Amino acid sequence: LPEGVLLLAAAVLVHSGLRAVTTPFLDSYYAACFGAGVVLAWRFHSTRVALALATLFLGERAILFFSGGHSLSGSSGYTAFALIAILLPLNFLVLSFIADQGFAANALASRVSFLFLQSVVVAAMCRPSYYGGMRFLDVALINSRWVAWTRLPQMALLAFVVALTALAFRFVCYHKPVESGFFWSLSCTALAFHSGAIGKAATMYLGTAALILLASVVETSYAMAYYDELTGVPARRAFNEALLALDFPYAIAVVDIDHFKSFNDTYGHETGDHVLRLVAARLARVSGGGKAYRCGGEEFSIIFSGVSSSEAATHLESLRRSIEHSPFKVRAQGERRSAPRGPDRRQRVSRKKTQRLAPAETINYEVTVTVSIGVAESITHDDGDVKQVIQAADEALYRAKRAGRNRVEVSTGAISKQYIGKSKKAVSH
């Protein structure tokens, strides 16, 4: 979502016959989707989406040019249709694997040159005199009766199937809006070519393909604003907005990774990032209806709606134990500075007797991570109570750290409860 919904809406309109939709309106829709898509792609530095839009536009214009805008019965028009039906999915597949590098001239030069080269090849192969050499486009890979339901040649149909399968796999692996946008946009393009690539139905599908790519840019910018890029959990902006929508009663927990700074200093920032991802993955699966947010550094927050702090503490204790019992291995190189770098010149030793130094040893450490958690619940229906609840949860977190870390502490008004391991005891303050 929402790209699949856009495709469904276009399909419903096309199958309804597009009787109420005029050609000028479809042309305006097509132009608006492509124009807005290019502007947004440029604004958000998404070269992949911009090039995908350019590929769609050039392909559609080439088919209209060589077919005369009316039918594919001519040799040039059909050749352009068949060639572009193969090239488009392959271009989408290539664009899905490359990285966005902005709109600097050096970054765009090779990719624009690649599109230009394809345009030249299509123009050369669509000459009427060259039509006899394009018979490979109609090669029958399977029984022709099995694919009689579509106007796509079998080679083009194979290209679409391969590209769509790869794009679906990439979306399952990465869950990025652009991967989803590429899949649904190419699906829409396949429907446009299935309908003949010319006419009102094709214009509707191609315009929607551009709209889907536009939507993927918007979804990407939303994810960048509301989700933490490193851990994948919602970020502080999402947390602040969630606080505005809270209904009484609720509980808020503050989670902090114990000794994270010293861990970073010991094993390096790359391993520290791995720890953050590991902890965030556990927090995202917290039970009790809680939702985790990364609020900065090694600090996370969890919001429980309709749950008291004592009820939330039960789920937080299970969470604490799961993190504590999730060790992982850290690779560290042996300290090279402690090893001798060569023979001591103060000792008169023959070079022939000097032994070659062994390479630095790789050591595997099994490390466990613990967290301290403070949780507090709402007391009144007052909107201003949210800040007090967060402050109370922070104070409970500090008490947990002073008491030895790796524990859950609950603050409910004047009573604080410590949850340490399987034992629970109330402490008055």
Side-chain angles (χ1 to χ4, degrees):
L1 296 174
E3 290 89 349
V5 174
L6 296 174
L7 173 57
L8 178 61
V12 170
L13 283 172
V14 169
H15 283 282
S16 68
L18 295 174
R19 298 181 184 90
V21 183
T22 62
T23 301
F25 175 82
L26 280 176
D27 291 339
S28 300
Y29 169 74
Y30 174 91
C33 290
F34 272 90
V38 170
V39 170
L40 279 181
W42 168 76
R43 184 66 182 83
F44 290 100
H45 307 284
S46 181
T47 51
R48 292 197 299 168
V49 170
L51 289 171
L53 289 168
T55 304
L56 283 175
F57 181 78
L58 290 173
E60 190 261 354
R61 292 293 105 180
I63 293 174
L64 288 178
F65 176 79
F66 288 106
S67 65
H70 299 293
S71 82
L72 300 175
S73 57
S75 61
S76 297
Y78 178 78
T79 301
F81 170 79
L83 266 178
I84 293 168
I86 295 173
L87 291 174
L88 268 177
L90 297 181
N91 273 272
F92 267 67
L93 188 58
V94 170
L95 289 173
S96 70
F97 281 93
I98 66 175
D100 282 320
Q101 296 181 347
F103 286 86
N106 56 348
L108 281 178
S110 60
R111 300 173 187 182
V112 173
S113 299
F114 183 60
L115 281 180
F116 177 75
L117 178 63
Q118 292 180 73
S119 301
V120 172
V121 170
V122 169
M125 290 184 173
C126 288
R127 292 174 299 164
S129 59
Y130 195 76
Y131 180 67
M134 302 304 296
R135 296 298 182 186
F136 75 93
L137 295 174
D138 293 320
V139 171
L141 303 174
I142 57 176
N143 192 322
S144 299
R145 290 179 295 178
W146 296 353
V147 292
W149 49 270
T150 180
R151 300 185 66 175
L152 283 167
Q154 291 190 25
M155 290 288 290
L157 188 60
L158 176 63
F160 272 108
V161 170
V162 170
L164 286 171
T165 302
L167 291 174
F169 180 76
R170 283 184 59 81
F171 174 71
V172 170
C173 291
Y174 299 106
H175 292 284
K176 296 291 183 65
V178 172
E179 311 300 336
S180 172
F182 270 47
F183 173 82
W184 289 113
S185 180
L186 188 60
S187 299
C188 217
T189 304
L191 291 175
F193 277 76
H194 168 70
S195 65
I198 297 175
K200 295 173 71 173
T203 303
M204 170 61 75
Y205 279 128
L206 289 173
T208 304
L211 182 62
I212 287 172
L213 291 173
L214 183 155
S216 72
V217 175
V218 176
E219 286 290 302
T220 300
S221 62
Y222 172 85
M224 292 173 62
Y226 286 90
Y227 284 83
D228 179 59
E229 185 177 5
L230 176 64
T231 62
V233 300
R236 177 175 286 276
R237 178 176 292 185
F239 175 69
N240 292 336
E241 290 196 3
L243 293 179
L244 298 176
L246 279 177
D247 292 326
F248 181 88
Y250 59 86
I252 298 176
V254 180
V255 184
D256 192 82
I257 302 175
D258 296 328
H259 304 294
F260 183 73
K261 185 178 184 303
S262 60
F263 192 97
N264 251 352
D265 295 339
T266 303
Y267 299 108
H269 291 284
E270 185 175 347
T271 304
D273 290 345
H274 181 68
V275 170
L276 289 171
R277 286 192 290 266
L278 182 145
V279 172
R282 297 293 186 276
L283 295 179
R285 296 196 294 268
V286 63
S287 56
K291 187 168 185 180
Y293 303 82
R294 186 184 180 193
C295 294
E298 68 273 21
E299 185 176 303
F300 297 83
S301 294
I302 303 176
I303 296 178
F304 294 89
S305 296
V307 175
S308 67
S309 57
S310 58
E311 292 172 334
T314 304
H315 303 288
L316 292 170
E317 175 58 25
S318 299
L319 173 66
R320 184 199 64 80
R321 286 198 301 265
S322 71
I323 295 173
E324 182 184 18
H325 297 144
S326 300
F328 64 96
K329 288 186 178 182
V330 176
R331 286 187 174 184
Q333 292 287 334
E335 182 62 54
R336 292 180 179 269
R337 286 176 296 180
S338 61
R341 296 182 179 272
D344 191 344
R345 292 184 179 180
R346 291 173 295 182
Q347 299 177 0
R348 296 180 179 179
V349 181
S350 173
R351 291 185 179 180
K352 295 181 181 181
K353 296 181 180 181
T354 302
Q355 296 181 350
R356 182 177 295 178
L357 295 176
E361 182 182 1
T362 300
I363 306 171
N364 289 329
Y365 296 94
E366 191 173 79
V367 179
T368 57
V369 180
T370 62
V371 295
S372 297
I373 305 175
V375 59
E377 66 180 3
S378 57
I379 301 174
T380 68
H381 292 268
D382 186 10
D383 293 339
D385 185 51
V386 174
K387 294 182 179 179
Q388 298 177 10
V389 173
I390 296 175
Q391 183 177 358
D394 277 330
E395 292 173 356
L397 171 65
Y398 295 142
R399 286 195 294 271
K401 286 186 171 293
R402 288 196 297 267
R405 293 181 169 86
N406 189 25
R407 63 182 65 209
V408 178
E409 184 156 331
V410 182
S411 176
T412 55
I415 303 296
S416 172
K417 298 178 181 179
Q418 292 178 353
Y419 288 73
I420 310 173
K422 296 181 180 180
S423 64
K424 300 178 182 179
K425 58 183 180 179
V427 180
S428 297
H429 291 274

